[in-house]
Amino acid sequence: IQTKPVIFTVGDATDYAVQASYPKQQIINAQGTSKDLARLVTEKLSPQGGPLLYISGATTSFDLETHFKQLGYEIDRLIAYD
């Protein structure tokens, strides 16, 4: 049973910011786009593994929330900035 959540980031800027704030947290960087992030998450986590928390801006280039719901994941979106 995993006790700490894993943080997935789209790219280096977000990865760096998260590492600065949470240095002991496991962070996995997709090093690309939101579609790369979606592919990485589906490779690493199953829909039965528990809910996802999706933190994003108000406007996104790819609808990750709908994408993951269609694949059977439980996902909650938190809009953290405009």
Side-chain angles (χ1 to χ4, degrees):
I1 297 174
Q2 186 162 333
T3 58
K4 282 188 176 181
V6 177
I7 299 173
F8 290 85
T9 62
V10 173
D12 293 338
T14 306
D15 184 78
Y16 179 77
V18 173
Q19 284 188 33
S21 297
Y22 303 97
K24 295 182 180 182
Q25 190 67 44
Q26 181 182 2
I27 303 165
I28 301 174
N29 184 345
Q31 298 180 330
T33 67
S34 55
K35 289 182 180 181
D36 296 317
L37 176 63
R39 195 168 22 258
L40 179 63
V41 170
T42 56
E43 287 172 5
K44 301 284 185 184
L45 303 175
S46 74
Q48 296 78 27
L52 304 175
L53 175 60
Y54 170 39
I55 302 171
S56 72
T59 303
T60 61
S61 62
F62 180 65
D63 187 354
L64 284 169
E65 182 177 22
T66 298
H67 173 79
F68 284 117
K69 283 182 179 179
Q70 290 174 340
L71 294 174
Y73 290 83
E74 180 183 341
I75 183 167
D76 293 309
R77 181 176 179 201
L78 172 65
I79 299 174
Y81 55 92
D82 289 324

